[in-house]
């Protein structure tokens, strides 16, 4: 292998490396979009059970003293 062939090989590897660096984010984005689409389709196809449980009361527990807050002077 002479110098010209070595330089051509190095240049080809450099161009292929740059090509991979430029294309990789697009491929990752496409794969991510496909995964999200699959999850959305699966969630849309899931049967709806019933209404969700009512939220728990946000007040203090029964039998506890009321909490005093600081008042502005």
């Amino acid at each position: 292998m002479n110098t010209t062939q070595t330089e051509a090989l190095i240049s080809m590897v450099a161009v292929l490396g740059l090509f991979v660096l430029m294309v990789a984010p697009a491929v990752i984005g496409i794969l991510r979009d496909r995964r999200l689409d699959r999850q959305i389709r699966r969630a849309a196809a899931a049967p709806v059970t019933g209404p969700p449980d009512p939220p728990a009361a946000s007040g203090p527990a029964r039998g506890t003293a009321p909490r005093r807050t600081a008042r502005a002077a």
Side-chain angles (χ1 to χ4, degrees):
M1 213 169 174
N2 61 19
T3 306
T4 307
Q5 291 173 332
T6 305
E7 288 176 359
L9 181 62
I10 291 171
S11 299
M12 192 182 335
V13 169
V15 168
L16 287 174
L18 288 173
F19 178 74
V20 167
L21 286 175
M22 298 295 285
V23 172
V27 171
I28 292 170
I30 291 169
L31 294 176
R32 182 175 176 267
D33 285 345
R34 290 184 64 154
R35 180 177 51 95
L36 289 174
D37 289 342
R38 221 177 20 248
Q39 289 176 348
I40 291 170
R41 270 189 260 116
R42 190 177 302 141
V48 177
T49 54
D53 294 335
S58 61
R62 188 169 253 184
T64 59
R67 179 177 287 219
R68 299 198 180 252
T69 58
R71 294 187 183 178

